[in-house]
Amino acid sequence: MAGGGVVHGTADTSRIEAPVTVKAYLMCAFAAFGGIFFGYDTGWMGGVMGMKYYIRQYTHIPYPGPDADADTKALFVLPGWQQSPLTGILSCGTFFGALIAGDIADRIGRRWTIISGCLTFIVGCILETASTTLAVMVVGRLIAGAGVGFISAIIILYMSEIAPKKVRGALVAGYQFCITIGILLANCVVYATQDRDDTGSYRIPVAVQFLWAIVLGIGLFLLPESPRYFVKKGKLDEAARALSNVRGQPIDSEYIQDELAEIIANHEYELSVVPQTTYFASWANCFHGGLKSPASNLRRTLCGIGLQMMQQLTGINFIFYYGVVFFKSLNTISNPFLISLITTLVNVLSTPISFWMVERFGRRNLLILGGTGMVISQYIVGIIGVTVGQDKGKDTNKAAVSAMIAFICINISMFASTWGPCAWVVIGEIFPLPIRSRGVGLSTSSNWFWNCIIAIITPYLVDKQYANLSSKIFFMWGSLCIISVLFAYFLVPETKGLSLEQVDRMLEEVSPRHSRSWVPHSTFAAEMGLVEKGIPLGGPTAKQGDSAEETEIETHNAPANKEIV
C-alpha cells in the first residue's frame, strides 16, 4: 500500500481500528515508564529536606546534642525560604518545558522530543548531584525540571495516539502507576540513606535518576513514531508504516487502511473548520470558538488546563513533597520517614485498580466519585487534627493520631485510583489533531504551574513562623476538592471506548453531562468522501505545511457549511 497506493476508508464505525495486540500493550507499557521521572523527582526532595546531614550542610546549624531541649531540636530544620525554591523550582522548569514541548513535538516528532527531554534531564541531574550549595541545587532542579516537562507532556500525547481505543484509558493510567512507582522508589532510597553522615545521604537518591533517563532514552529509539504525527506532517507513506508497526498488522491490511483513512479524514475536517495559517495563529487556534460549545477549541483547552489544575489542588503533592516535614511538625509521630514510606506504598497499591475501573466505569464517573471521597477524608483529617489529635506531649491521643494517618491513606487511595490517572487520560483524548500537541502541552504545564504554586506556598502555610495551619490545611484541600467534583460534573466528557476521532464527533453533538450515552453513528472517512474516492499515499494531496511552519493536507469534499455546534 505504501509508496503510491490509495487508502480507502470505511463507513462502518466498528472497523476504524485494528484488533488489540500484545505488541500494543508492550509499547504503551514501556512508554509509561516515563512516569517514573515525574514520580521519582516528586518523591526524593521531601525526604532529603528532612535529612540531618542535608540540613546541617545547607543551614550550617550543628547537630543538636542528645540532651538538647525541644526548642533546640525544633530549630534544626531547613527554613521555609529554602524549602520553597528547592521544591518549587523543579515545577517552574517543568512548566516551561511542558509549554514548549508541544511545538517541539510537532517539529521533530513525539519520540525525539522525549529523547531530548531525557538529555536535558541528565544535565540537570549532574548539577544536582554535584551541588553543595543552594544556588547550584536550584539551577540543577530548574534544568532537570525542563526535561521532566518535555517527557511528562509528550509521553501522554504519544501514548494516547498509539494506544487502542478499547484499552487506551487503562494503558495511559499505567503512566500514573509509574509515577507512584517512582515516588515509592525515591522514598525507599531516601529511607536507606537518611542516616548517612556524608554527601552520599542526598547524592545517592539524586544520582539514581540517571538510570531512568538512560533506559527511557535508549528505549524510545526502538519504538515507532506516532502515525498521527506523520498524518499531521502530510507524510502518509510513513504514517501507514508507523500504523502497521503499532497495530501489528500488514501494511496492506484493511484495518490499517480503514484506521489511517479515518485519521486523515478527521484531520482534514478539523482543518476545514479551523484553518491553520501562521505560527501565532496556530497557537491562537487553541483558544478558538465559544465557551458554550463543548467542541470548541477554547472549551477543550480550558477543560484540559482546568482538569490538571484541579488534580493539583486536591493537595496530594502536599503529602509527597512535605510529608516528612509535616509529620515532624505534628510532634505526634515517632518515625515520620516510615509514615511517609507507608503513604507512598498506599499510593502504589491503589493505582492498579484504576486500569480496570477507568474502562469499566469511565473517566467522568471516577473523577466525581474520587473527588467526593477525598472531600470526606480530608475533612475528617482536619477535624481530628484540631480536636482530639492535637499535640499534648505524653498525653497525646495516639488513637486519634493513628486515625489521622488512616484517613490520609484513604485520601491517597481515592486519588490514586481516580483523579491521579483519569486527569492524564482525559487530556490525551479531548484535543483534535491540529492542536493536540499544544493542547496537551498547555494542560501539562497547568499541572506543573499549580504544582509549583503549592510547593512554594505550603511551607508558609504550615510553618510555625508563618500561618501555622498544621493539620487545619486539610480543610483547605477538602474545600478545593468540592470545586474539583463540580468541575468534573459540569465540564468533563466521558470518552471511554471511543477513538480520538470519535471523541471529536461526540463533543460536537452532546454536552459533557450527556456524553456517556452517546454512540458513534458515522465515520469521518465516509463524510469526507474517502470511502469511494480514496486518498493516494505520497501523492499530490499530501502537501507540506498545515501552517506556515507545519503541514497541511488538502481538504476533500469538506462540507461547506459544517460548523461546530
Side-chain angles (χ1 to χ4, degrees):
M1 183 176 73
V6 176
V7 175
H8 289 276
T10 178
D12 185 351
T13 59
S14 66
R15 286 188 54 85
I16 60 169
E17 189 173 88
V20 181
T21 62
V22 174
K23 184 176 183 180
Y25 281 108
L26 295 177
M27 288 171 61
C28 289
F30 182 81
F33 182 81
I36 293 214
F37 280 81
F38 188 159
Y40 193 91
D41 234 18
T42 298
W44 68 262
M45 195 71 232
V48 164
M49 289 191 298
M51 290 179 176
K52 294 186 296 182
Y53 182 87
Y54 191 82
I55 293 172
R56 187 185 70 176
Q57 173 146 317
Y58 277 73
T59 64
H60 305 294
I61 301 173
Y63 293 153
D67 300 325
D69 57 35
D71 291 337
T72 302
K73 291 180 180 179
L75 290 172
F76 188 70
V77 295
L78 205 63
W81 68 268
Q82 287 195 27
Q83 291 184 35
S84 285
L86 283 171
T87 308
I89 200 66
L90 172 82
S91 302
C92 182
T94 50
F95 169 77
F96 289 106
L99 200 59
I100 66 174
D103 269 350
I104 296 174
D106 278 347
R107 288 180 177 276
I108 66 174
R110 284 52 166 149
R111 282 194 319 140
W112 284 105
T113 303
I114 297 170
I115 293 169
S116 300
C118 292
L119 296 175
T120 305
F121 183 79
I122 287 173
V123 173
C125 280
I126 291 172
L127 292 175
E128 288 177 315
T129 306
S131 70
T132 55
T133 64
L134 180 65
V136 177
M137 177 64 83
V138 166
V139 172
R141 295 277 285 169
L142 180 65
I143 295 172
V148 174
F150 279 23
I151 296 164
S152 61
I154 306 308
I155 281 286
I156 293 298
L157 174 66
Y158 180 74
M159 292 178 67
S160 297
E161 290 190 337
I162 68 172
K165 65 178 182 179
K166 292 181 180 178
V167 292
R168 186 178 58 240
L171 292 176
V172 176
Y175 174 78
Q176 175 66 22
F177 182 58
C178 285
I179 291 176
T180 66
I181 293 290
I183 296 173
L184 177 63
L185 289 173
N187 276 268
C188 289
V189 176
V190 167
Y191 189 78
T193 64
Q194 62 175 309
D195 294 324
R196 290 178 63 110
D197 194 24
D198 55 29
T199 57
S201 60
Y202 69 90
R203 281 179 169 164
I204 291 173
V206 174
V208 167
Q209 297 177 107
F210 285 108
L211 178 62
W212 319 139
I214 292 169
V215 170
L216 184 64
I218 292 175
L220 261 293
F221 278 109
L222 307 177
L223 294 182
E225 182 55 83
S226 164
R228 287 176 169 88
Y229 163 72
F230 286 129
V231 168
K232 182 176 174 62
K233 300 297 286 184
K235 301 177 180 178
L236 303 188
D237 277 345
E238 294 184 51
R241 284 191 289 271
L243 189 60
S244 172
N245 195 342
V246 167
R247 296 291 180 249
Q249 296 280 338
I251 200 168
D252 56 355
S253 162
E254 288 187 4
Y255 285 115
I256 299 302
Q257 285 209 29
D258 292 343
E259 184 173 357
L260 182 58
E262 186 69 2
I263 296 170
I264 294 169
N266 172 255
H267 185 49
E268 292 182 352
Y269 170 77
E270 293 295 342
L271 290 177
S272 73
V273 174
V274 185
Q276 308 288 295
T277 53
T278 66
Y279 172 79
F280 293 106
S282 63
W283 265 105
N285 283 337
C286 293
F287 305 95
H288 181 274
L291 283 174
K292 292 184 178 180
S293 171
S296 73
N297 288 352
L298 173 63
R299 179 77 171 263
R300 299 190 205 203
T301 300
L302 293 180
C303 179
I305 290 174
L307 194 60
Q308 290 294 312
M309 176 182 74
M310 291 293 117
Q311 188 202 57
Q312 286 301 307
L313 293 181
T314 60
I316 192 68
N317 278 330
F318 162 73
I319 299 169
F320 297 126
Y321 279 155
Y322 295 107
V324 172
V325 175
F326 173 71
F327 293 137
K328 277 185 176 181
S329 71
L330 295 177
N331 295 319
T332 55
I333 296 174
S334 59
N335 192 339
F337 282 93
L338 179 60
I339 299 302
S340 181
L341 188 59
I342 290 172
T343 59
T344 305
L345 188 60
V346 170
N347 191 30
V348 173
L349 296 179
S350 300
T351 303
I353 193 173
S354 68
F355 300 172
W356 172 73
M357 291 171 62
V358 75
E359 298 297 355
R360 176 65 179 82
F361 302 110
R363 291 71 157 139
R364 176 183 164 82
N365 286 345
L366 288 190
L367 291 171
I368 295 171
L369 175 65
T372 303
M374 287 188 286
V375 171
I376 296 170
S377 300
Q378 300 207 44
Y379 271 112
I380 291 176
V381 172
I383 291 169
I384 294 174
V386 299
T387 54
V388 294
Q390 292 183 358
D391 177 20
K392 297 180 180 179
K394 294 181 179 179
D395 296 327
T396 298
N397 188 329
K398 294 183 179 180
V401 173
S402 297
M404 285 178 64
I405 295 172
F407 277 99
I408 288 174
C409 290
I410 291 172
N411 175 68
I412 293 171
S413 180
M414 295 300 295
F415 174 88
S417 57
T418 59
W419 272 86
C422 288
W424 293 110
V425 173
V426 172
I427 68 165
E429 297 175 328
I430 59 175
F431 295 103
L433 183 55
I435 67 162
R436 184 172 296 139
S437 61
R438 289 185 176 123
V440 173
L442 285 167
S443 301
T444 308
S445 65
S446 170
N447 181 293
W448 288 111
F449 174 80
W450 289 100
N451 190 309
C452 180
I453 295 298
I454 290 169
I456 289 173
I457 68 172
T458 296
Y460 298 101
L461 293 174
V462 299
D463 199 306
K464 290 183 178 180
Q465 301 175 18
Y466 302 103
N468 192 26
L469 290 180
S470 188
S471 57
K472 291 190 288 291
I473 196 171
F474 283 95
F475 289 119
M476 184 183 82
W477 300 133
S479 300
L480 290 169
C481 282
I482 294 175
I483 300 174
S484 299
V485 171
L486 294 175
F487 181 92
Y489 178 77
F490 288 105
L491 297 175
V492 178
E494 182 52 72
T495 55
K496 176 175 73 78
L498 303 177
S499 71
L500 299 182
E501 291 69 38
Q502 288 171 341
V503 171
D504 281 350
R505 177 64 76 220
M506 178 266 291
L507 289 173
E508 292 181 354
E509 297 181 355
V510 296
S511 68
R513 282 179 292 169
H514 300 97
S515 56
R516 184 173 179 81
S517 60
W518 186 85
V519 177
H521 53 79
S522 64
T523 67
F524 280 100
E527 293 186 12
M528 302 299 287
L530 298 189
V531 176
E532 300 84 9
K533 183 177 180 179
I535 184 170
L537 298 183
T541 58
K543 301 186 295 185
Q544 289 297 312
D546 68 343
S547 72
E549 277 70 29
E550 300 169 351
T551 315
E552 183 175 314
I553 300 177
E554 180 182 344
T555 301
H556 293 276
N557 301 330
N561 59 351
K562 187 76 172 178
E563 296 179 355
I564 293 178
V565 293

